[in-house]
Amino acid sequence: MIFTIAMRELRSLFLSPLAWIILGVIQAILGFSFFSNVSAFLRNANPQGVTLAVAVPIFGWAAVMLLFVSPLITMRLVSEERRNQTLSLLYSAPASMTEIVLGKYLGVLAYMMTVVAMLILMPLSLLFGGALDWGLLFTSAFGLVLLLASFAAIGLFMSTLTQSPTLAAVATFGALFLLWIFDVSANLWGKNTLSYLSIIDHYLPFLEGVFSSEDTLYYFIFTAVFLIFSVRRLDADRLGA
């Protein structure tokens, strides 16, 4: 049932013009940035290698761009079902709330992984002209996957709170932006609880080729917490209906 719901969600995403527009805009901007980095590298070769000079900045840009567009991707997950009054049909399906939430989550996550897969093709094209630092490329891609998994989880949760997709998108962006800028507090007061909660602070080590179990665990816990919140929210909604 999880797979069925995930495929339904993924199919509905790709039937939406917005999904294709987002893919096109992201690829266009990242492609321009990629070729700019390649050009700069060819003019002044970085002794640390082409992966660090060309590929890693693309992953950094992708994180920033997806901070803005993820709310647009996740906003309809549940809110639109609620607005169209089809949520009750979903409740009556032979599936638990956990299966419904996981299905919707995996569907939107599969879409986001399409973005990552298309992004990875850019640095792979550098193989025609030289060698890549596979470790650095893998950690950067892995970090982005974890980051997007957390974006999708919080977006899904926000979508369970309202019947307005627009409101869900705004709330998701607000929450992600707040979690992003928690990192600033480290500059003011040094490392503290707020800076530890920063969603970007745990991503940066991956861009440096550092695989940290602590950072990985942070994203797993972050994602799990918001998925559990989503299950609880829908469960309470069903019992109250």
Side-chain angles (χ1 to χ4, degrees):
M1 183 55 74
I2 294 176
F3 180 75
T4 303
I5 297 173
M7 289 305 297
R8 171 179 172 269
E9 203 61 52
L10 183 61
R11 188 164 50 250
S12 68
L13 271 170
F14 276 110
L15 287 175
S16 164
L18 179 63
W20 292 102
I21 292 172
I22 288 174
L23 277 179
V25 169
I26 289 176
Q27 283 303 112
I29 294 176
L30 293 183
F32 177 77
S33 178
F34 175 74
F35 285 115
S36 297
N37 290 341
V38 171
S39 178
F41 179 79
L42 293 176
R43 287 197 306 271
N44 185 22
N46 190 322
Q48 293 178 300
V50 67
T51 309
L52 185 64
V54 176
V56 170
I58 300 299
F59 284 95
W61 273 108
V64 175
M65 290 187 62
L66 287 161
L67 169 73
F68 288 93
V69 302
S70 290
L72 301 177
I73 300 169
T74 59
M75 65 181 183
R76 294 180 175 175
L77 284 172
V78 178
S79 59
E80 194 164 68
E81 302 255 16
R82 194 188 301 278
R83 187 179 61 178
N84 295 336
Q85 298 184 338
T86 56
L87 200 55
S88 56
L89 296 176
L90 203 58
Y91 289 156
S92 62
S96 66
M97 284 302 108
T98 302
E99 289 176 320
I100 292 172
V101 167
L102 285 179
K104 286 187 168 290
Y105 175 72
L106 292 178
V108 75
L109 189 60
Y111 174 82
M112 289 183 168
M113 291 307 102
T114 305
V115 177
V116 177
M118 294 174 68
L119 170 63
I120 291 175
L121 291 177
M122 294 186 200
L124 288 182
S125 67
L126 297 173
L127 285 172
F128 290 106
L132 291 174
D133 183 337
W134 290 105
L136 182 55
L137 184 61
F138 172 77
T139 55
S140 299
F142 185 66
L144 185 60
V145 169
L146 292 177
L147 185 70
L148 295 188
S150 62
F151 283 4
I154 196 169
L156 173 59
F157 172 65
M158 292 301 177
S159 186
T160 65
L161 299 178
T162 175
Q163 65 176 2
S164 167
T166 304
L167 189 57
V170 171
T172 302
F173 176 74
L176 288 176
F177 189 69
L178 184 63
L179 286 165
W180 190 286
I181 63 173
F182 273 169
D183 186 51
V184 176
S185 67
N187 299 328
L188 299 175
W189 306 298
K191 283 290 182 182
N192 54 67
T193 304
L194 282 181
S195 65
Y196 180 78
L197 292 175
S198 169
I199 202 166
I200 188 62
D201 194 48
H202 295 274
Y203 177 55
L204 296 179
F206 289 104
L207 297 182
E208 297 170 354
V210 178
F211 181 86
S212 166
S213 57
E214 181 184 347
D215 295 324
T216 303
L217 186 62
Y218 164 87
Y219 284 116
F220 274 115
I221 293 175
F222 185 98
T223 301
V225 165
F226 279 100
L227 289 180
I228 292 170
F229 283 170
S230 300
V231 172
R232 296 284 187 186
R233 174 69 182 92
L234 289 183
D235 217 19
D237 193 48
R238 182 180 62 170
L239 293 174

